[in-house]
Amino acid sequence: EIDTAALALLQAVFGSLDSLKLPVDLNQVAEYCGVAVRQGEFEDKTLEGALDRRTKTVFLSEAHAYERKTFALAHELGHFKLHDEVSTDVFTRRGIDTLLTRNTTDPREYEADLFAASLLMPEKLLRSLWTATGKDLDNLAKIFGVPTEVCHFRLTSLQLI
């Protein structure tokens, strides 16, 4: 189960969820996984991130906002942790704008999205803060340091909205 894998990784890196500071520090997660994170420019301006498993490196577009880079990194870490059957491919991540409506033939993309959302917004904390914020989607997205679309995707996947 993808949620369980994300939670296990968070606990391995940070210990108890009770001591987890938000937003989740993905640089610590990447370091724990032995993955280097590099920022730069892609020729294709629609790309936000890519994973090169061979060199254990995630490349992020420096042109995008912090929240978008965070999700792109979490998405690529999802591929790294879940899809080790692919040894040398470079995975690409094109914008989060279609996250809720994307129709992909590759289930690995949905799995990486779900892993990323779970990693950035652990269910226990999300449920608690969803109530505490009075179900304020924008405020919740700010607390977790993610784009609103990602927050909406996670809440939908947990059937909270």
Side-chain angles (χ1 to χ4, degrees), residues 2 5-6 9 26 29-30 33 35 51 53 58 70-85 91 93 107-119:
I2 291 171
L9 180 57
L26 287 184
V29 176
C33 293
V35 172
L51 167 67
R53 183 179 303 280
V58 170
T70 297
F71 186 74
L73 176 54
H75 175 94
E76 300 308 342
L77 288 172
H79 281 304
F80 184 79
K81 294 299 284 183
L82 300 172
H83 306 131
D84 53 295
E85 74 280 0
F91 293 99
R93 171 87 183 110
R108 294 179 302 177
E109 289 304 313
Y110 175 75
E111 291 168 358
D113 287 339
L114 200 54
F115 182 90
S118 300
L119 190 66

Side-chain angles (χ1 to χ4, degrees), residues 58-72:
V58 170
F59 300 94
L60 298 175
S61 169
E62 63 187 4
H64 289 94
Y66 165 81
E67 294 83 2
R68 292 179 77 94
K69 284 190 262 194
T70 297
F71 186 74

